[in-house]
Amino acid sequence: MSWKKYIALIITLIILNVQATAGENLNIAFGEWPPYLSDSLEHKGVVAHLIKDIFAEEGITVKFTFFPWGRAYEETASGRQDLMGIWMHKPEREVDFYYSAPILNEKFVFFHLKTFPFDWKTLNDLQGIRIGGGIGYSYGPEFDSALDNGKLKIQRVATNKQNFEKLILGRIQAYPQEMNVGYAALKQHFSEEDVLKITHHPTALLDNQSYLLFPKKLEKSRSLLLKFNLHLNEFKKNGRYENYFNIK
């Protein structure tokens, strides 16, 4: 093959790749997690906004569908959804998914009533404390291990609202949640009088990162992952990334 024909072939392949990407539509599964993700928020939340704009750099449009978290996992692992977000890393999830580069840095803290003299430094300090939590939630390997070993106990319910209701009524004494998510839930569901009853402990239970997950069931996932990571890195380098997270 002459060099001219070779160059023409390369150009053709590039054009075909661009055409294949441009106009592509992706279905993305989310769970409710305001202020980061919510069907009721502008742009569907700040993380959804970021993800949409990153894919737009490739000419890809996205459609967000909100499910209960467990169903979002099932829908995406099976390939019925193209990808899902956002989840912390757990090794067992690598059976079904490729992980993106980190999208979100999270800080999980314990919320408690101001009238409850709560303090902790190690998990041993939490023994005997009535702790609330979310169904299906992981609070990091160390905390999860303490639960599995019976060192700690947790009362799980479905929503942030239910956990904060229990906290206000004194049925639990501490509730671990991502700090911005916790305060967003308080602002959304409770009166100012009740919100003022609650504070959080400054010691982080978990400093965590969350990711967009691409199903191994779909052949296009590896290519999409590479493109997404490339543009996410560009957003972080040029300062655009931080603009999405100026949460008030």
Side-chain angles (χ1 to χ4, degrees):
M1 181 184 295
S2 70
W3 67 270
K4 289 184 179 180
K5 289 183 178 180
Y6 179 77
I7 292 175
L9 176 61
I10 295 297
I11 292 172
T12 300
L13 289 173
I14 292 172
I15 292 171
L16 288 174
N17 181 64
V18 170
Q19 289 175 339
T21 300
E24 183 177 356
N25 298 299
L26 294 178
N27 295 307
I28 303 181
F30 287 142
E32 285 283 337
W33 209 43
Y36 299 122
L37 298 167
S38 179
D39 200 24
S40 64
L41 290 176
E42 184 180 9
H43 301 296
K44 307 302 181 184
V46 294
V47 168
H49 191 191
L50 170 65
I51 291 168
K52 178 182 178 181
D53 287 353
I54 287 174
F55 278 116
E57 296 292 304
E58 285 285 337
I60 298 172
T61 58
V62 296
K63 176 185 176 183
F64 302 134
T65 304
F66 285 81
F67 299 98
W69 286 97
R71 186 180 168 197
Y73 191 104
E74 294 170 3
E75 289 284 323
T76 314
S78 68
R80 292 190 293 271
Q81 296 284 314
D82 295 305
L83 52 151
M84 71 173 186
I86 55 176
W87 295 67
M88 70 172 63
H89 180 268
K90 294 188 77 173
E92 55 265 36
R93 292 174 184 156
E94 293 182 4
V95 173
D96 297 314
F97 294 100
Y98 304 111
Y99 281 79
S100 73
I103 291 180
L104 178 66
N105 296 315
E106 306 163 0
K107 181 179 181 180
F108 280 75
V109 296
F110 283 103
F111 288 87
H112 64 94
L113 290 177
K114 293 176 180 177
T115 54
F116 176 57
F118 175 70
D119 193 19
W120 81 287
K121 292 182 180 178
T122 71
L123 292 184
N124 288 332
D125 300 326
L126 300 174
Q127 294 185 54
I129 300 293
R130 297 193 303 275
I131 301 171
I135 295 173
Y137 260 59
S138 168
Y139 297 98
E142 188 178 0
F143 189 89
D144 292 349
S145 177
L147 291 176
D148 292 339
N149 295 333
K151 187 176 181 180
L152 300 178
K153 294 183 179 180
I154 192 169
Q155 303 175 29
R156 295 185 183 270
V157 292
T159 67
N160 288 323
K161 181 175 182 287
Q162 289 172 311
N163 270 301
F164 280 119
E165 286 173 342
K166 293 179 69 174
L167 190 64
I168 292 167
L169 292 171
R171 294 174 183 168
I172 58 174
Q173 295 169 305
Y175 171 43
Q177 182 53 273
E178 204 281 331
M179 187 167 63
N180 287 318
V181 172
Y183 281 112
L186 285 169
K187 182 178 179 181
Q188 178 182 0
H189 297 297
F190 296 91
S191 67
E192 184 178 356
E193 179 182 1
D194 281 339
V195 172
L196 289 174
K197 296 176 183 178
I198 295 174
T199 187
H200 73 274
H201 194 280
T203 300
L205 169 64
L206 182 66
D207 286 308
N208 181 59
Q209 292 179 316
S210 284
Y211 307 82
L212 196 59
L213 272 62
F214 296 73
K216 292 183 176 180
K217 192 87 171 179
L218 299 179
E219 291 184 5
K220 64 183 177 181
S221 287
R222 289 180 67 87
S223 174
L224 285 171
L225 172 64
L226 292 173
K227 293 172 183 177
F228 181 83
N229 283 347
L230 174 65
H231 291 295
L232 175 60
N233 186 54
E234 290 175 350
F235 274 46
K236 289 181 176 180
K237 281 185 175 181
N238 63 28
R240 288 182 66 182
Y241 174 88
E242 295 297 333
N243 294 332
Y244 293 85
F245 296 98
N246 294 324
I247 300 171
K248 305 298 183 182

